[in-house]
Amino acid sequence: MTDEAVPTPEAHRQAARLRALFAGDAVGMASGCGDVIEQANDELLRILGRGRAGLAEGIAWPTITPADHAERDAAAIGDVRRSGSAVVQKDFLRPDGSRIPVLAVVAAVSWDPYEWVAIVVDLSREERLRRLVQSEAAIVSSLLEDAPIGFALIDPELRFVRINNELAAMNGFTVDQHEGALVFELLPDLRDGAEPLLRRVLETGEPLRDVQIVGTTPADPDTTRTWLESFFPVRAPGGPTIGVAAVARDVTEVLQLQAELQATLTRQRQVLHELQTSLLPTLPDTPGFDLAAQYLGASIDIQLGGDWFDVLHAPDGRLVLAIGDVVGHGPAAVGLMARLSGAMRAYVTAGHGPGQVLTQLNRLLNAAPFPALASAAILYLERAGGDIEYASAGHPYPLMCAPGAAPAVLDQAQGMILGATADSFYASASARLHGGAAVLLYTDGLIETRGEDLDTGLARLRRAILASSQGTGGAAELLRAAIAGSAVSDERDDDVCLLAATRLPEIRSTADVNATRGQFDAVRAAVMGAEGRTDRYRRHGMGAGPVEVAAHDFASRPPAGPFISSGSTDEGGLR
């Protein structure tokens, strides 16, 4: 309803009834806008202890509400916004500091601006309370008869005193058939759910709000329905509760629609998840490297992101690791992720280097018919020597994890996020990955936590990898250490992708070598003094001391000079 709505003949009749009520003083009547009372009849002014002069200045509802009843007012306002009306039993605060108990029925007239009317019954006098039970309920019913909620007054014997047309229709009896009848003689199927609640309100004098009642009524005996009901005590000050005001809304169809929507969202999420995971690659078998990857989907419904990774071989034989994250969630992000990962493969296959690949991807996004942003990082690994060439576009820095050292940040080739500007250029940088070390690529969901910046999350991740005994092990162990030590939780609102590659040592010992420093020095002196020289040295922790083992790269050419292999003698010395 809005204040621009064209009044109907029924609206005119209701307004006439309200004007008639305002003219009398059987009950207090008020209307207002927001939290200000703009009109009030004499009875309401008497209840408030105020005159017409005070009304002309405007009476703010909060000024007539005691502090300990503010929560009741807030709950009533919530009821009005949900259902259009509310019933609340509270105290009004008079200017002299005295309080007077009332029963107020508030109904919205329009929403923009928020305008309302209210009926207020003085509960401080026994005669008025009796009139409420016997006849004043008719006024309440008159106000609510066209509202889409059910309303009833029930006495301590659980008999209907008054009921409006809406609730009577829900129950399947006329208004006359309800009045004076025992509630659960008419509605036996609701006894188990509703009777304990009514008796609780009568015994404790405390209201119950928004409880679900499930069952059938004669109005539709073959259909189990659900009502959202609130029960408010009616009592004299200092006396026992002598009645219950009940407000009911049939929410059966609403709950059914919610269930259908949830089922649809679940199916949609399942389809999108299957689509997304089907686009992620299978890791290739790559001699010399141990590879591992993991994708963790968001736990919030329809929050599928555009996180992706890929592993392939460049035409020159280098191993290519790529990772990216499309800005946004849902089907559009998944679709863009598929386009980017496919284009990246094409650019790598065409012989482009890391910076060139990102430059081409940026041009692709800027040529798209709709705005799109994505971050990405790409590394080329040379298998024989471990040389790395890498580039990044607005993506979290890759980490290089070496045994016994804090993970190094590969931060020398960071460019603008993809899609931000059409003329962005992406440079490459170089590094060296030694045997036994690993590179780790990941998306921001691994280090991002609300309330802190990414640098804090990155520092936490580096500490976790360094502290973990698995941080320099295989690729899968590195991923486990990274996830365990990061901010990733079971309830996450973003996807997480991780990709790791460990460069395997080129030579592995076949037995423990117990080498003293003297033995090591002797071997090294013999090797360095021999004709020719070794191609490379690898350091391994074996037995009680370190040993450098020199060897030719037999994969590239046969040995041309002396070479040394590691082993142990029967006496436990160096061979």
Side-chain angles (χ1 to χ4, degrees):
M1 179 189 298
T2 66
D3 52 345
E4 289 89 10
V6 178
T8 63
E10 179 58 28
H12 285 296
R13 286 193 291 273
Q14 289 185 13
R17 286 196 294 269
L18 290 175
R19 283 194 295 272
L21 289 170
F22 266 81
D25 59 2
V27 294
M29 296 292 301
S31 66
C33 183
D35 62 0
V36 176
I37 299 174
E38 296 180 336
Q39 298 184 56
N41 66 351
D42 291 339
E43 172 64 7
L44 183 63
L45 292 175
R46 183 199 66 77
I47 293 172
L48 297 178
R50 298 170 183 260
R52 289 285 167 188
L55 179 63
E57 297 174 359
I59 303 173
W61 194 277
T63 65
I64 61 174
T65 298
D68 57 337
H69 282 197
E71 185 176 345
R72 299 188 188 189
D73 276 9
I77 291 172
D79 289 342
V80 172
R81 294 203 175 277
R82 286 193 300 270
S83 63
S85 64
V87 180
V88 59
Q89 191 272 318
K90 58 171 291 177
D91 289 353
F92 275 154
L93 185 65
R94 289 178 164 179
D96 62 3
S98 62
R99 297 163 63 138
I100 185 167
V102 298
L103 180 69
V105 181
V106 184
V109 175
S110 68
W111 295 116
D112 188 13
Y114 171 46
E115 296 179 329
W116 50 268
V117 295
I119 295 175
V120 179
V121 179
D122 183 353
L123 298 182
S124 63
R125 292 175 291 180
E126 292 291 341
E127 179 60 26
R128 288 192 174 275
L129 185 58
R130 283 193 294 270
R131 290 175 62 188
L132 169 67
V133 176
Q134 296 173 359
S135 62
E136 302 282 68
I139 300 174
V140 176
S141 295
S142 176
L143 179 64
L144 298 178
E145 65 182 3
D146 295 316
I149 61 170
F151 176 76
L153 288 175
I154 300 170
D155 68 14
E157 296 180 357
L158 302 187
R159 295 179 183 271
F160 286 109
V161 177
R162 293 293 179 188
I163 190 168
N164 72 345
N165 292 329
E166 181 74 13
L167 187 55
M170 292 182 194
N171 294 341
F173 298 97
T174 67
V175 170
D176 291 341
Q177 288 173 321
H178 278 85
E179 293 181 356
L182 290 168
V183 173
F184 299 112
E185 282 188 357
L186 295 183
L187 308 170
D189 192 47
L190 303 185
R191 180 186 295 273
D192 291 344
E195 184 175 5
L197 302 178
L198 288 170
R199 295 199 181 280
R200 175 179 168 183
V201 174
L202 288 169
E203 293 170 3
T204 66
E206 296 295 327
L208 292 174
R209 294 183 174 90
D210 294 337
V211 294
Q212 284 192 1
I213 304 296
V214 180
T216 62
T217 69
D220 190 4
D222 296 326
T223 302
T224 299
R225 308 192 71 83
T226 302
W227 294 270
L228 195 63
E229 301 197 17
S230 296
F231 304 103
F232 305 92
V234 178
R235 59 174 176 261
T241 300
I242 62 171
V244 177
V247 179
R249 286 182 292 145
D250 189 337
V251 294
T252 306
E253 282 75 18
V254 173
L255 294 178
Q256 289 174 346
L257 289 174
Q258 290 176 343
E260 292 172 5
L261 175 60
Q262 184 60 47
T264 299
L265 293 176
T266 300
R267 288 193 297 271
Q268 181 182 1
R269 177 175 174 78
Q270 182 179 358
V271 170
L272 290 176
H273 180 75
E274 291 174 354
L275 171 62
Q276 187 175 35
T277 53
S278 70
L279 295 172
L280 297 176
T282 300
L283 298 179
D285 184 15
T286 305
F289 288 96
D290 178 30
L291 304 177
Q294 190 162 356
Y295 167 76
L296 304 172
S299 58
I300 299 178
D301 286 342
I302 313 305
Q303 282 290 305
L304 290 177
D307 292 22
W308 58 274
F309 69 87
D310 205 350
V311 181
L312 66 157
H313 295 103
D316 60 8
R318 288 185 293 176
L319 178 66
V320 179
L321 308 179
I323 197 164
D325 185 1
V326 173
V327 175
H329 296 90
V334 175
L336 183 57
M337 175 267 286
R339 290 179 59 202
L340 285 179
S341 61
M344 185 276 301
R345 275 187 163 258
Y347 297 142
V348 170
T349 303
H352 294 295
Q356 294 172 314
V357 169
L358 294 182
T359 299
Q360 294 293 338
L361 291 177
N362 183 64
R363 291 173 181 170
L364 177 67
L365 282 187
N366 277 280
F370 52 86
L373 296 173
S375 67
I378 184 168
L379 282 78
Y380 284 48
L381 295 176
E382 191 269 319
R383 290 193 233 179
D387 290 335
I388 298 177
E389 184 183 5
Y390 69 95
S392 181
H395 199 82
Y397 300 127
L399 297 180
M400 188 160 60
C401 310
V409 178
L410 299 181
D411 57 359
Q412 299 303 305
Q414 184 67 282
M416 187 78 69
I417 191 170
L418 299 174
T421 59
D423 57 352
S424 292
F425 172 77
Y426 298 89
S428 298
S430 300
R432 173 69 62 85
L433 185 68
H434 298 288
V439 288
L440 173 67
L441 290 82
Y442 52 92
T443 55
D444 58 8
L446 184 68
I447 59 174
E448 187 173 34
T449 299
R450 291 184 181 180
E452 67 179 29
D453 56 35
L454 290 181
D455 288 339
T456 302
L458 176 58
R460 179 174 53 246
L461 174 62
R462 295 176 70 193
R463 289 194 301 269
I465 294 175
L466 177 61
S468 172
S469 60
Q470 305 296 336
T472 56
E477 288 83 354
L478 176 58
L479 295 191
R480 282 193 286 271
I483 293 172
S486 70
V488 176
S489 63
D490 292 336
E491 294 297 324
R492 53 188 174 273
D493 56 7
D494 197 7
D495 292 9
V496 178
C497 250
L498 301 96
L499 176 60
T502 298
R503 186 176 177 223
L504 301 176
E506 295 174 15
I507 298 176
R508 296 182 181 275
S509 62
T510 58
D512 288 340
V513 179
N514 296 313
T516 66
R517 172 54 62 180
Q519 288 174 316
F520 166 75
D521 291 340
V523 171
R524 182 171 183 178
V527 173
M528 297 304 292
E531 181 179 350
R533 64 184 181 83
T534 59
D535 291 299
R536 65 179 53 83
Y537 295 97
R538 311 308 297 155
R539 180 177 293 276
H540 303 271
M542 305 180 198
V547 175
E548 284 189 355
V549 181
H552 282 282
D553 184 356
F554 299 141
S556 58
R557 64 185 186 277
F563 64 93
I564 292 178
S565 63
S566 64
S568 61
T569 66
D570 293 339
E571 293 76 24
L574 178 68
R575 172 168 58 82

